[in-house]
């Protein structure tokens, strides 16, 4: 067993996380991995249980590469102002190889995600939200942060009297480096945004990086369409409905 937490008070939680996770009935996402909300003392925490890897990946994650839980925790500490506060992570091993692993963070009580905005939710302030989102993304990029799964459901938004607060989740896949203009614009491609919505985002973003708005928009649309085409091609192969 390998565990890590920033605070001693969470050691008991991490050590017994399997029991806490099993007892929680509040599952908010279940696919390849599962995410649940658990109560711990007077706190609500988010626990992400990563899928047990196949034998080859068990060997890789045990001896050659940090696990997704470990990466999530370490990345959270590195970019703490952009994410819900990290609590810790734990890895369990069986016969000397990685079995199950968990990453725990504090719950960020958001109002909606970017998905609701890009899919046409009836929000009167949607243009302003897009522009604030562009500013948030600019801050990420200026700090050399490239979220490699910058998809709508991974961008959380909380409304307040002072505007909007953004947080990102699902952060085990990230790069940290100085970003080119193309890399910055390509990072918007996973939003699956309509061209007219993407134009608002890029119009604001181009001002922040002091580049021509039209040329930035054309590049962003090209990257966005490539992403859509690639995803829809995979859906067709699986016989699933495609999305424009």
């Amino acid at each position: 067993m390998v565990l890590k937490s920033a605070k001693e008070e969470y050691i008991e939680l991490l050590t017994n996380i399997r029991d806490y996770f099993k007892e929680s009935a509040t599952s908010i996402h279940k696919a390849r991995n599962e995410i649940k909300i658990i109560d711990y003392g007077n706190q609500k925490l988010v626990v992400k249980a990563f899928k047990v890897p196949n034998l080859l990946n068990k060997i890789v994650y045990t001896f050659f590469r940090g696990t997704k839980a470990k990466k999530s925790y370490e990345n959270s500490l590195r970019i703490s102002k952009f994410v819900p506060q990290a609590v810790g992570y734990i890895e369990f091993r069986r016969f000397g190889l990685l079995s199950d692993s968990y990453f725990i963070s504090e719950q960020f009580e958001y109002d909606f995600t970017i998905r609701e905005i890009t899919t046409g939710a009836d929000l009167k302030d949607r243009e302003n939200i897009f522009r604030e989102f562009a500013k948030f993304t600019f801050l990420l990029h200026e700090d050399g942060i490239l979220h490699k799964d910058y998809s709508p459901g991974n961008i959380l938004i909380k409304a307040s009297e002072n505007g909007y607060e953004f947080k990102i989740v699902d952060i085990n896949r990230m790069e940290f480096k100085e970003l080119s203009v193309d890399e910055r614009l390509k990072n918007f491609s996973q939003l699956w945004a309509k061209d007219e919505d993407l134009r608002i985002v890029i119009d604001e973003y181009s001002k922040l990086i002091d580049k021509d708005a039209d040329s930035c928009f054309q590049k962003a649309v090209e990257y966005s369409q490539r992403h859509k085409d690639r995803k829809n091609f995979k859906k067709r192969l699986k016989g699933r409905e495609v999305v424009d």
Side-chain angles (χ1 to χ4, degrees):
M1 179 174 68
V2 177
L3 67 86
K4 180 70 175 180
S5 175
K7 296 181 180 179
E8 195 71 23
E9 66 191 86
Y10 292 122
I11 299 301
E12 186 275 335
L13 164 70
L14 290 163
T15 304
N16 298 287
I17 195 63
R18 285 167 160 169
D19 293 333
Y20 282 104
F21 194 82
K22 182 178 180 180
E23 291 168 4
S24 172
T26 312
S27 179
I28 59 175
H29 176 80
K30 187 172 184 179
R32 180 174 52 188
N33 308 309
E34 185 170 10
I35 302 173
K36 287 186 175 184
I37 304 293
I38 67 167
D39 293 310
Y40 188 69
N42 60 355
Q43 291 182 290
K44 286 190 176 296
L45 304 175
V46 178
V47 181
K48 183 171 185 178
F50 291 92
K51 179 183 177 182
V52 176
N54 59 36
L55 179 59
L56 175 60
N57 283 334
K58 285 182 179 182
I59 295 171
V60 170
Y61 285 126
T62 300
F63 299 109
F64 304 106
R65 186 187 303 170
T67 66
K68 294 179 180 180
K70 180 181 180 181
K71 289 179 181 177
S72 297
Y73 178 71
E74 291 178 344
N75 288 343
S76 287
L77 298 183
R78 186 167 182 173
I79 61 170
S80 58
K81 64 183 178 182
F82 297 110
V83 297
Q85 185 173 340
V87 167
Y89 77 94
I90 188 165
E91 304 164 2
F92 294 95
R93 297 183 179 182
R94 181 177 172 82
F95 304 121
L97 298 177
L98 177 70
S99 176
D100 47 326
S101 58
Y102 302 80
F103 168 64
I104 302 94
S105 64
E106 293 184 359
Q107 184 184 26
F108 176 67
E109 295 185 357
Y110 61 95
D111 296 306
F112 44 84
T113 70
I114 282 291
R115 176 175 286 119
E116 282 77 33
I117 315 300
T118 57
T119 54
D122 186 20
L123 292 168
K124 61 181 180 181
D125 204 28
R126 65 193 308 271
E127 180 173 339
N128 186 42
I129 295 171
F130 278 134
R131 293 189 181 279
E132 291 301 310
F133 167 65
K135 294 174 184 176
F136 172 78
T137 306
F138 172 75
L139 293 176
L140 281 177
H141 291 168
E142 284 296 284
D143 276 7
I145 300 167
L146 181 64
H147 192 327
K148 301 190 74 174
D149 192 7
Y150 206 46
S151 55
N154 289 337
I155 303 159
L156 315 181
I157 310 169
K158 182 177 182 178
S160 69
E161 294 181 356
N162 299 320
Y164 298 95
E165 182 180 4
F166 294 80
K167 298 288 184 182
I168 52 174
V169 294
D170 200 4
I171 58 168
N172 56 286
R173 293 177 61 244
M174 308 197 79
E175 284 187 37
F176 301 98
K177 62 181 182 178
E178 184 174 347
L179 300 174
S180 68
V181 172
D182 276 10
E183 286 173 321
R184 290 167 178 251
L185 297 174
K186 188 176 182 180
N187 203 202
F188 292 104
S189 66
Q190 297 180 57
L191 297 177
W192 212 281
K194 297 181 178 66
D195 288 359
E196 56 266 32
D197 294 335
L198 190 58
R199 181 177 284 279
I200 298 171
V201 175
I202 299 303
D203 177 69
E204 188 67 34
Y205 189 85
S206 63
K207 295 174 186 175
L208 297 167
I209 62 173
D210 194 26
K211 298 294 181 180
D212 178 70
D214 288 336
S215 61
C216 286
F217 174 66
Q218 290 303 320
K219 285 185 178 181
V221 167
E222 181 181 344
Y223 286 129
S224 177
Q225 192 58 53
R226 286 181 188 175
H227 177 75
K228 291 175 181 177
D229 291 344
R230 184 168 59 252
K231 290 294 184 180
N232 280 330
F233 177 73
K234 291 180 179 179
K235 288 180 180 179
R236 290 188 184 97
L237 290 179
K238 296 178 180 180
R240 295 164 58 189
E241 183 180 356
V242 301
V243 182
D244 293 330

